[in-house]
Structure formats: structure tokens, C-alpha cells
Amino acid sequence: MAQQKQAQRRSLGFYSADPSQHTLLEDSQGLATGALVAGLGFYLLNHVGLLTGGTAGVAFLLHYAFGISFGLLFFIVNLPFYYLSFRRLGLGFSLKTFIAIGLVSVVTEIEHRFLLIEYLHPGWAAMLGGLLLGYGLLALYRHRASLGGVGILAIYIQDRFGIQAGLVQLAFDLCVMICAFAVVSPATVAWSILGAVVLNVFLAINHRSDRYIVVR
């Protein structure tokens, strides 16, 4: 009984004793940290003209093609997916995802005011950018949030049409990379693919259902 009361006090304070639950403070620092790290990853990719998969890849394509702000595009491109997120994953997940995407959009817009890079090799940017995005997404996943709607759409298509979500995600990312040839050089596409591979391998190794609970 005493242990239950102590755990309850902890859950109402700075941290939760239940690994599947988080306090408001824990969620707040998780979203902020994940957004800052992911925003830095996007900044490195953008600095050398690279892109990645998912809705961020679409935002990069439009950014390079028309010169519109990446942060603004990243926020707008994700808007159509919030309804699916709400229907499939609930209000809490959708709200935190909305906040995370908003934070990343702001971070990517103000990053250059605090960080100036004199030289950055595309290969190094691809690897570091992929790893930083992986760490950022891992932090967000741990607090039941994400950075894009393609994964949600993939789950919906899987349930509706029986096509595996992983294949849907892969097909979408391949389409992004193919379209990239019309906007950037083949070398840039190659480095971008390296960054996407680093990101996905990192998540495949570190994000496991027996360790992290995204949706309950």
C-alpha cells in the first residue's frame, strides 16, 4: 500500500513509476528534446541540399524546387494526415505529433541564427543527419508522438487493403527519391539515400516494441 502511494506521488510529480506512462513534464522534455535533435538533423541535410523520405522528403522537394521555406512546407504537408492520426491513434498521439511537427518547423527556421557551418561534406551530412533524425524520432516515439503522416497512412492502407505498411512506406520513399532526380543531381540523390538508410537502420535496431511503447 505504501509503495502504491509512493508510486502515485511520483507519477503526479516529476516522473512516473510506470514505464508505459509519462507525466506532463516528461512528455514536455521528450517532445522538446526530440524536436531539437530532429531539427538539427534536417538543418544538416538542408545545408548541403540533401533530402530524406516521408513527408519531410516531400517538403524538401518543394523547398528545393520553388524556394519556399522548408519549415513552413513541412508543417503544411503534414496537415492532411492529422485526421487519420486522430481516427487511428487517438487525440493524445495526434496532439503531441502536431506539437512536435510545429516545434521542428520552428527549429529548422531559426537554426541558422545560432549555428553557422563553414563546410560540410554531403556524405558526413547524410550520416549525421540520418542519425540525428533517428535519435529525435526515438525520443518522440518514446513519448507517443511522431514527425509525419506517411506511417499513419501506411497503417490505414494495410488495414483497408491488406498491403503491408512497410511496403507502403518503402514505395512512398522510393517515389520521393525518384522525383528528386528532377530537382537535384544524381549524386545528391545518392547521398540522400545513404542518409535514409542510416536513419531506418538506426530505428530498426533501437526502436523495438518490447522496449518502447508508442501507442497503448
Side-chain angles (χ1 to χ4, degrees):
M1 187 67 177
Q3 290 180 344
Q4 290 180 346
K5 289 183 178 181
Q6 184 179 9
Q8 185 177 12
R9 285 197 297 270
R10 276 183 255 177
S11 66
L12 295 175
F14 292 107
Y15 69 97
S16 172
D18 185 348
S20 67
Q21 298 292 332
H22 296 99
T23 64
L24 178 60
L25 178 62
E26 288 176 321
D27 278 338
S28 298
Q29 66 81 31
L31 294 180
T33 301
L36 284 172
V37 174
L40 179 57
F42 284 136
Y43 177 72
L44 295 182
L45 295 178
N46 190 23
H47 185 77
V48 294
L50 301 184
L51 58 153
T52 187
T55 51
V58 175
F60 271 126
L61 284 177
L62 296 174
H63 168 62
Y64 296 142
F66 302 106
I68 304 174
S69 161
F70 168 77
L72 177 62
L73 287 170
F74 183 59
F75 185 81
I76 293 175
V77 167
N78 277 290
L79 289 177
F81 296 98
Y82 288 122
Y83 176 73
L84 274 179
S85 176
F86 173 73
R87 290 293 301 272
R88 298 293 307 172
L89 301 174
L91 177 61
F93 180 90
S94 303
L95 180 60
K96 285 187 280 189
T97 295
F98 181 84
I99 293 172
I101 291 174
L103 287 173
V104 169
S105 298
V106 171
V107 168
T108 55
E109 287 303 299
I110 66 174
E111 194 82 60
H112 69 278
R113 300 182 183 179
F114 306 98
L115 177 63
L116 294 176
I117 300 175
E118 184 176 347
Y119 172 76
L120 180 62
H121 189 279
W124 196 243
M127 290 189 291
L128 282 182
L131 286 174
L132 287 168
L133 287 174
Y135 275 106
L137 282 170
L138 196 64
L140 295 175
Y141 289 164
R142 187 66 182 90
H143 292 270
R144 302 193 187 108
S146 72
L147 275 184
V150 176
I152 300 168
L153 177 63
I155 294 173
Y156 172 79
I157 292 176
Q158 177 177 273
D159 292 345
R160 183 72 182 271
F161 303 103
I163 304 173
Q164 291 184 5
L167 294 178
V168 175
Q169 181 86 45
L170 177 61
F172 186 91
D173 290 348
L174 286 176
C175 289
V176 170
M177 294 301 173
I178 291 172
C179 292
F181 282 105
V183 180
V184 298
S185 68
T188 298
V189 176
W191 289 124
S192 300
I193 292 174
L194 172 62
V197 169
V198 170
L199 165 62
N200 285 287
V201 169
F202 176 86
L203 288 177
I205 294 173
N206 292 282
H207 181 60
R208 289 169 38 185
S209 59
D210 59 337
R211 291 180 179 172
Y212 301 101
I213 303 172
V214 181
V215 182
R216 196 179 182 185

PDB file of all heavy atoms in Angstrom, residues 7 20 47 52 56 58 65 105 128 131 133 204 215:
ATOM      1  N   ALA A   7       4.405   5.486  -5.483  1.00  0.00           N
ATOM      2  CA  ALA A   7       4.414   5.487  -6.947  1.00  0.00           C
ATOM      3  C   ALA A   7       3.448   6.527  -7.489  1.00  0.00           C
ATOM      4  O   ALA A   7       3.719   7.197  -8.484  1.00  0.00           O
ATOM      5  CB  ALA A   7       4.053   4.101  -7.477  1.00  0.00           C
ATOM      6  N   SER A  20       5.172   2.710 -18.871  1.00  0.00           N
ATOM      7  CA  SER A  20       4.283   2.928 -20.022  1.00  0.00           C
ATOM      8  C   SER A  20       3.529   4.248 -19.934  1.00  0.00           C
ATOM      9  O   SER A  20       2.766   4.579 -20.824  1.00  0.00           O
ATOM     10  CB  SER A  20       3.276   1.769 -20.129  1.00  0.00           C
ATOM     11  OG  SER A  20       2.386   1.786 -19.029  1.00  0.00           O
ATOM     12  N   HIS A  47      21.415  22.009 -45.376  1.00  0.00           N
ATOM     13  CA  HIS A  47      22.613  22.827 -45.593  1.00  0.00           C
ATOM     14  C   HIS A  47      23.380  22.397 -46.831  1.00  0.00           C
ATOM     15  O   HIS A  47      23.991  23.241 -47.509  1.00  0.00           O
ATOM     16  CB  HIS A  47      23.521  22.742 -44.363  1.00  0.00           C
ATOM     17  CG  HIS A  47      24.714  23.645 -44.434  1.00  0.00           C
ATOM     18  ND1 HIS A  47      24.622  25.000 -44.213  1.00  0.00           N
ATOM     19  CD2 HIS A  47      26.020  23.390 -44.712  1.00  0.00           C
ATOM     20  CE1 HIS A  47      25.829  25.546 -44.352  1.00  0.00           C
ATOM     21  NE2 HIS A  47      26.692  24.594 -44.660  1.00  0.00           N
ATOM     22  N   THR A  52      15.257  13.505 -47.559  1.00  0.00           N
ATOM     23  CA  THR A  52      15.013  12.220 -46.904  1.00  0.00           C
ATOM     24  C   THR A  52      13.646  11.721 -47.335  1.00  0.00           C
ATOM     25  O   THR A  52      13.025  12.281 -48.235  1.00  0.00           O
ATOM     26  CB  THR A  52      15.102  12.379 -45.371  1.00  0.00           C
ATOM     27  OG1 THR A  52      15.015  11.097 -44.743  1.00  0.00           O
ATOM     28  CG2 THR A  52      14.004  13.283 -44.835  1.00  0.00           C
ATOM     29  N   ALA A  56       8.722  14.684 -44.860  1.00  0.00           N
ATOM     30  CA  ALA A  56       9.874  15.593 -44.875  1.00  0.00           C
ATOM     31  C   ALA A  56      10.516  15.596 -46.257  1.00  0.00           C
ATOM     32  O   ALA A  56      10.975  16.646 -46.734  1.00  0.00           O
ATOM     33  CB  ALA A  56      10.891  15.175 -43.821  1.00  0.00           C
ATOM     34  N   VAL A  58       8.973  15.141 -49.109  1.00  0.00           N
ATOM     35  CA  VAL A  58       8.099  15.959 -49.973  1.00  0.00           C
ATOM     36  C   VAL A  58       8.355  17.442 -49.716  1.00  0.00           C
ATOM     37  O   VAL A  58       8.444  18.249 -50.652  1.00  0.00           O
ATOM     38  CB  VAL A  58       6.623  15.618 -49.717  1.00  0.00           C
ATOM     39  CG1 VAL A  58       5.707  16.540 -50.526  1.00  0.00           C
ATOM     40  CG2 VAL A  58       6.340  14.161 -50.067  1.00  0.00           C
ATOM     41  N   ALA A  65      12.604  22.965 -55.171  1.00  0.00           N
ATOM     42  CA  ALA A  65      12.023  23.294 -56.474  1.00  0.00           C
ATOM     43  C   ALA A  65      11.516  24.732 -56.545  1.00  0.00           C
ATOM     44  O   ALA A  65      11.657  25.388 -57.586  1.00  0.00           O
ATOM     45  CB  ALA A  65      10.884  22.331 -56.794  1.00  0.00           C
ATOM     46  N   SER A 105       9.407  22.533 -37.193  1.00  0.00           N
ATOM     47  CA  SER A 105       9.283  23.551 -38.233  1.00  0.00           C
ATOM     48  C   SER A 105       9.913  24.868 -37.778  1.00  0.00           C
ATOM     49  O   SER A 105      10.609  25.531 -38.551  1.00  0.00           O
ATOM     50  CB  SER A 105       7.806  23.771 -38.581  1.00  0.00           C
ATOM     51  OG  SER A 105       7.223  22.595 -39.099  1.00  0.00           O
ATOM     52  N   LEU A 128      25.329  11.985 -40.352  1.00  0.00           N
ATOM     53  CA  LEU A 128      24.958  12.689 -39.130  1.00  0.00           C
ATOM     54  C   LEU A 128      23.477  13.065 -39.135  1.00  0.00           C
ATOM     55  O   LEU A 128      22.791  12.940 -38.117  1.00  0.00           O
ATOM     56  CB  LEU A 128      25.806  13.954 -38.971  1.00  0.00           C
ATOM     57  CG  LEU A 128      27.231  13.779 -38.462  1.00  0.00           C
ATOM     58  CD1 LEU A 128      27.904  15.140 -38.319  1.00  0.00           C
ATOM     59  CD2 LEU A 128      27.265  13.043 -37.132  1.00  0.00           C
ATOM     60  N   LEU A 131      21.412   9.981 -38.414  1.00  0.00           N
ATOM     61  CA  LEU A 131      21.495   9.589 -37.004  1.00  0.00           C
ATOM     62  C   LEU A 131      20.719  10.553 -36.105  1.00  0.00           C
ATOM     63  O   LEU A 131      20.003  10.128 -35.192  1.00  0.00           O
ATOM     64  CB  LEU A 131      22.956   9.529 -36.560  1.00  0.00           C
ATOM     65  CG  LEU A 131      23.770   8.340 -37.064  1.00  0.00           C
ATOM     66  CD1 LEU A 131      25.235   8.495 -36.675  1.00  0.00           C
ATOM     67  CD2 LEU A 131      23.219   7.027 -36.518  1.00  0.00           C
ATOM     68  N   LEU A 133      18.176  12.464 -36.919  1.00  0.00           N
ATOM     69  CA  LEU A 133      16.746  12.226 -37.131  1.00  0.00           C
ATOM     70  C   LEU A 133      16.302  10.961 -36.404  1.00  0.00           C
ATOM     71  O   LEU A 133      15.204  10.908 -35.840  1.00  0.00           O
ATOM     72  CB  LEU A 133      16.446  12.114 -38.624  1.00  0.00           C
ATOM     73  CG  LEU A 133      16.488  13.415 -39.422  1.00  0.00           C
ATOM     74  CD1 LEU A 133      16.315  13.135 -40.909  1.00  0.00           C
ATOM     75  CD2 LEU A 133      15.413  14.371 -38.935  1.00  0.00           C
ATOM     76  N   ALA A 204      15.477   0.650 -36.815  1.00  0.00           N
ATOM     77  CA  ALA A 204      15.202  -0.787 -36.800  1.00  0.00           C
ATOM     78  C   ALA A 204      15.924  -1.472 -35.645  1.00  0.00           C
ATOM     79  O   ALA A 204      15.409  -2.405 -35.024  1.00  0.00           O
ATOM     80  CB  ALA A 204      15.628  -1.418 -38.125  1.00  0.00           C
ATOM     81  N   VAL A 215       2.026   3.437 -28.777  1.00  0.00           N
ATOM     82  CA  VAL A 215       0.594   3.598 -28.613  1.00  0.00           C
ATOM     83  C   VAL A 215       0.058   2.480 -27.749  1.00  0.00           C
ATOM     84  O   VAL A 215       0.394   1.327 -27.950  1.00  0.00           O
ATOM     85  CB  VAL A 215      -0.121   3.556 -29.983  1.00  0.00           C
ATOM     86  CG1 VAL A 215      -1.611   3.774 -29.782  1.00  0.00           C
ATOM     87  CG2 VAL A 215       0.434   4.632 -30.892  1.00  0.00           C
TER      88      VAL A 215
END
